[in-house]
């Protein structure tokens, strides 16, 4: 029974050891030339403005969560598209219902003003 899991155990050991060896060797072999320019924070080629403790508007997080929500829901379309012919009319109706529910949620979020950026 344990022999069946031996390839998986070997793969885990190889993966962990590869990661550890890569980290250790890069810290040993890699160049260590520190300078003020290399230690400075980088913001898209511009000098940083403000502090790192600056507060963001809740709208930013709300829009980010909505994007992730609708993006993840779109992932469910791929398996349906692959099995479309096998599912037949039942699959078409179920996916139509799924899309309608997503659309109703999108309209609700839109009407609430969650997508408005101030």
């Amino acid at each position: 029974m344990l022999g069946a899991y031996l390839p998986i155990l070997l793969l885990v050991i190889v993966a962990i050891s590869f990661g550890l060896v890569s980290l250790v060797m890069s810290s040993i072999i890699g160049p260590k030339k520190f300078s003020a320019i290399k230690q400075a924070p980088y913001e898209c080629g511009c000098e940083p403005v403000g502090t790192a403790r600056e507060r963001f508007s809740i709208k930013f997080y709300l829009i980010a969560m909505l994007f992730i929500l609708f993006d993840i829901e779109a992932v469910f379309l791929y398996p349906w598209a692959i099995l479309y012919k096998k599912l037949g009319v039942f699959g078409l109706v179920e996916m139509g219902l799924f899309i309608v529910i997503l659309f109703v949620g999108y309209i609700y979020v839109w009407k609430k003003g969650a997508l408005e950026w101030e």
Side-chain angles (χ1 to χ4, degrees):
M1 184 70 166
L2 188 59
Y5 293 107
L6 186 62
I8 296 172
L9 180 63
L10 287 175
L11 180 65
V12 169
I13 290 171
V14 167
I16 290 173
S17 62
F18 177 76
L20 290 175
V21 168
S22 297
L23 285 173
V24 170
M25 292 305 288
S26 68
S27 66
I28 292 172
I29 298 173
K32 295 170 185 63
K33 296 180 183 177
F34 297 108
S35 68
I37 294 174
K38 285 186 178 181
Q39 297 300 319
Y42 179 76
E43 281 187 17
C44 303
C46 302
E47 291 292 322
V49 178
T51 65
R53 304 281 183 226
E54 200 170 313
R55 299 188 117 188
F56 289 100
S57 170
I58 192 70
K59 289 282 190 180
F60 173 77
Y61 297 110
L62 183 61
I63 289 176
M65 287 189 327
L66 288 172
F67 171 76
I68 290 172
L69 176 73
F70 285 111
D71 194 43
I72 289 173
E73 297 299 332
V75 169
F76 289 116
L77 294 173
Y78 290 109
W80 171 77
I82 291 171
L83 297 175
Y84 174 70
K85 289 186 180 180
K86 289 183 183 178
L87 295 175
V89 176
F90 175 74
L92 181 65
V93 170
E94 289 295 321
M95 189 49 67
L97 183 64
F98 178 73
I99 298 281
V100 166
I101 291 171
L102 278 180
F103 189 69
V104 167
Y106 178 72
I107 296 297
Y108 174 77
V109 166
W110 190 5
K111 294 291 184 187
K112 282 291 199 179
L115 301 176
E116 297 294 324
W117 195 265
E118 295 174 357

